[in-house]
Each structure stands twice: as C-alpha cells, then as structure tokens.
Amino acid sequence: MFVVPDVSRDRQTDAPANSPLAAYTTLRLGGEPGTLTVAVETDQAVTTVRNASAEGRPVLVLAGGSNVVIGDAGFPGEVLLLRTRGIEVVSTRADDVVVRVAAGEVWDDFVEYAVTNGWSGVEFLSGIPGSAGATPIQNVGAYGSEVADTIVAVHAYDRERDAVRAMTPAECAFAYRASVFKHSDRYLVLHVDFRLAVSTESAPIRYAELARSLGAEAGDRVSLRQARDTVRKLREQKGMVLAPDDHDTWSVGSFFTNPVVSGERWAALGLDHAPHWPGEDGSVKIPAAWLIEHAGFPKGFAGAGVSISTKHTLALTNRGEGTTTALLDLARTIRGGVLEKFGIELHPEPVLINCEL
C-alpha cells in the first residue's frame, strides 16, 4: 500500500470504477485505477485496507491528490478515496485546546474553523489544498510554520499490528517535508490531534516575506484573521490556491524541496549573493526556485502540454493537454540543468505513483 500525502478539496462521495485518477488529483493527471472505493467512515477505510492487505492487493490512498503524481497507466490495484469528516475538541485548558480532525477533512476548512474560534497555531498554513490527514505525512509547512509545531498525536491504522495506534510526535519522526508515514506502506492516517493556543493573535511571525506583507517585524503578532487573509493572498499571487480555470494551479504546489547543504558545501558554492537560510546545525537551506531560475528555467518555461507556472518557478503545471510523462520529462530537464550549473541535485516533494523521476 502507498500512503499518499494527499491534500485537495475534492469532496466526491461516489466514483465510477473506471474513472481516471486525473479526476482526483490537482494536476489533473493519472490513468485508471484497478478498482475504486470511497470511504466516508473511518471503520470503512480500515476495513478496505485490512482486506486488501490480507488478499495481497496493493492499495493507493487518496484524499484529494494535491501532492501525488500518478503515472499515465494509472494504478493497477485498489484506490481508496478517503472522504471522512469531523472536527472535535477533545480537551481544553485556560490557554489551549486539543482538536481532533478526521483525515478526510479539508485542511483549509479546518484552518478557517480554528481562526473563527480564536485558536492560534495553523493560521500561517492557510490556503494549502488538501486533507488534514495528509499534513503529518508530508509535515506540511509554509511561511515559517509547519504542522509538526502543533501536532500532539496522529491516530493511524498500523497494518503490521492490525491495530489503530495513537502515535506521539517522536514516533512520527517529523523532519523537513517528511515523516515516518511518507513512502511507507505501514500506516493509514485516520485522525490528527492539534494543540492550538486560545488567542486571537497569530503565532510570532518568522518569515520575512510575510512580515513585509503585514507591515510587521519578525517576532511580531497580528490578528488571526489578518494573518490568514494575508497568507491566502500571497499564495493566490503564486498560483498556490486551487482555481479550476487557472492552469497555474494545476500542479502539486512546490515540485522540488529546497536543498539543504552543509556549511562547508555552502562556502564552496560561492553563492553568498543567493537567498538562503542557516540551520541550527550549521547547514544552509537554498531556495530551489532561485536555483531553477538561475539555471536558465524561468517562469513559463514549457514542455509538451506542461510548463513551469507563470506565477511561481517551483510549480510544474499541466496546461490542460499534458501527460505525466511530459511533466516528468520537464522535471528531469530542470533537475539536470540545476545539477550541471550548481552541482546540486533537486529532489521531488510529491510522492510518485507508478512512475519515476
């Protein structure tokens, strides 16, 4: 079973057995499944995975498909569309609440719910497409924030133990855009518990671009509503908020992760003029978008029916007539150009299903 970090707003509860998987991905790419099952209840999702495991059938779990690239041949096994819903306060204290969110819940709807209720901690993650259950798999992050900052438990079905487990953050092994769940066939995320501060103010601002847009300084706080609205506006300007008629949003968001190099490697590159962020261990994170553009691949650089977004260099998009093969050809061209120019190999952020880069 492939557990996919899947983050879109698709809420369909029925699906034809031969429906191409392009219908369930934000790239609008992907061939047909072997079979298709829609789960609106947690028990149904667990039963589907348990039965497939017992019968030796591969399973692909999708909630909306915003961080997955599926091959043109589709997926020959069973595809489970996760459509579970629910947001529940499981504990309250004077200063914080713990909120349990079903894996199939639309992530941005949950962020809006938190902001409306005066709960701080996820406002800088506004506008990210997809499901709540996808966020710990990818350790989704943006604008100086990531879900690992607020997650206190992930409830997942463990195929090896044939049991549902409440996993601590340490057991989740969160890292930059990674966790124990990513590229693993062991777990099916069912619910996620978030601890949020009871406050009408945002968490401290960490990201320079966001601070400038807010007219604030690093470390300042603003109202939750102002933080959410500003982040959504920034994402919309970059084509990172889904819009059916805008091909710049027909993507998986950032296609490559920002490379992290050692301090010694950074010094040898001689790129002090480039934007970068120092890490606590002496490492340096370099924006992949800057590397791509300075390797000769500007916004709008095109392949066969696919292109780099016209709004953001890090997004590879389907212009309406693309294929997965063409998208990955474009990705290889970009990766090769960056490697030749800078000696740095870029790595894909989305999970690749029945295809490879």
Side-chain angles (χ1 to χ4, degrees):
M1 180 186 73
F2 299 88
V3 181
V4 178
D6 187 16
V7 281
S8 108
R9 302 182 64 86
D10 190 350
R11 302 287 2 133
Q12 291 142 289
T13 56
D14 57 350
N18 61 348
S19 178
L21 295 175
Y24 308 106
T25 70
T26 54
L27 270 169
R28 276 72 165 181
L29 296 177
E32 295 183 1
T35 58
L36 201 61
T37 299
V38 182
V40 296
E41 301 292 341
T42 298
D43 289 348
Q44 182 185 8
V46 171
T47 298
T48 299
V49 172
R50 177 185 285 125
N51 290 346
S53 180
E55 296 168 11
R57 292 183 288 114
V59 178
L60 170 63
V61 180
L62 290 174
S66 72
N67 204 50
V68 58
V69 179
I70 301 176
D72 296 317
F75 183 77
E78 180 164 359
V79 175
L80 171 64
L81 292 178
L82 199 59
R83 298 292 183 259
T84 56
R85 301 299 297 269
I87 301 173
E88 176 189 6
V89 176
V90 294
S91 72
T92 60
R93 299 189 302 192
D95 297 329
D96 61 47
V97 297
V98 174
V99 187
R100 182 166 297 160
V101 186
E105 191 70 45
V106 175
W107 171 254
D108 200 48
D109 287 356
F110 167 58
V111 177
E112 172 61 30
Y113 188 84
V115 168
T116 299
N117 281 277
W119 300 334
S120 173
V122 293
E123 57 280 357
F124 297 146
L125 302 176
S126 293
I128 294 176
S131 71
T135 62
I137 299 171
Q138 186 75 2
N139 189 15
V140 165
Y143 296 103
S145 179
E146 58 187 21
V147 291
D149 298 334
T150 57
I151 289 176
V152 292
V154 174
H155 302 263
Y157 171 63
D158 182 340
R159 289 206 310 167
E160 289 186 8
R161 299 187 183 183
D162 189 24
V164 174
R165 298 173 53 191
M167 301 175 65
T168 66
E171 290 174 313
C172 295
F174 291 123
Y176 172 58
R177 301 298 176 269
S179 71
V180 72
F181 309 108
K182 190 173 182 179
H183 303 301
S184 170
D185 64 356
R186 179 169 177 176
Y187 301 105
L188 170 66
V189 175
L190 303 172
H191 296 88
V192 186
D193 291 353
F194 299 90
R195 187 182 302 279
L196 304 175
V198 177
S199 173
T200 58
E201 291 190 329
S202 71
I205 300 166
R206 303 175 186 171
Y207 201 78
E209 180 190 16
L210 179 58
R212 288 193 300 271
S213 297
L214 288 164
E217 301 290 335
D220 287 352
R221 299 173 186 265
V222 297
S223 75
L224 291 177
R225 181 58 58 188
Q226 185 181 8
R228 172 168 167 74
D229 290 349
T230 301
V231 167
R232 282 189 58 89
K233 183 177 180 179
L234 285 171
R235 292 185 63 85
E236 286 169 355
Q237 292 170 347
K238 298 174 182 178
M240 294 295 188
V241 176
L242 296 180
D245 297 329
D246 183 357
H247 287 293
D248 277 332
T249 73
W250 289 30
S251 75
V252 290
S254 298
F255 192 89
F256 295 105
T257 58
N258 294 321
V260 178
V261 299
S262 68
E264 293 78 12
R265 176 70 175 132
W266 170 250
L269 286 168
L271 295 176
D272 291 345
H273 59 289
H276 59 280
W277 302 281
E280 295 180 357
D281 58 355
S283 65
V284 177
K285 183 186 295 184
I286 310 170
W290 187 93
L291 294 172
I292 291 168
E293 189 149 6
H294 286 78
F297 305 103
K299 297 181 183 72
F301 182 89
V306 297
S307 79
I308 293 177
S309 166
T310 66
K311 299 183 179 74
H312 196 287
T313 314
L314 202 48
L316 306 189
T317 66
N318 172 14
R319 309 314 292 185
E321 298 179 354
T323 63
T324 300
T325 297
L327 187 86
L328 294 178
D329 284 344
L330 175 61
R332 290 186 195 98
T333 298
I334 293 168
R335 185 177 63 176
V338 170
L339 183 62
E340 181 178 0
K341 175 77 172 181
F342 299 107
I344 295 174
E345 184 174 5
L346 297 180
H347 297 282
E349 186 168 319
V351 174
L352 308 183
I353 303 297
N354 204 18
C355 58
E356 60 184 19
L357 181 61

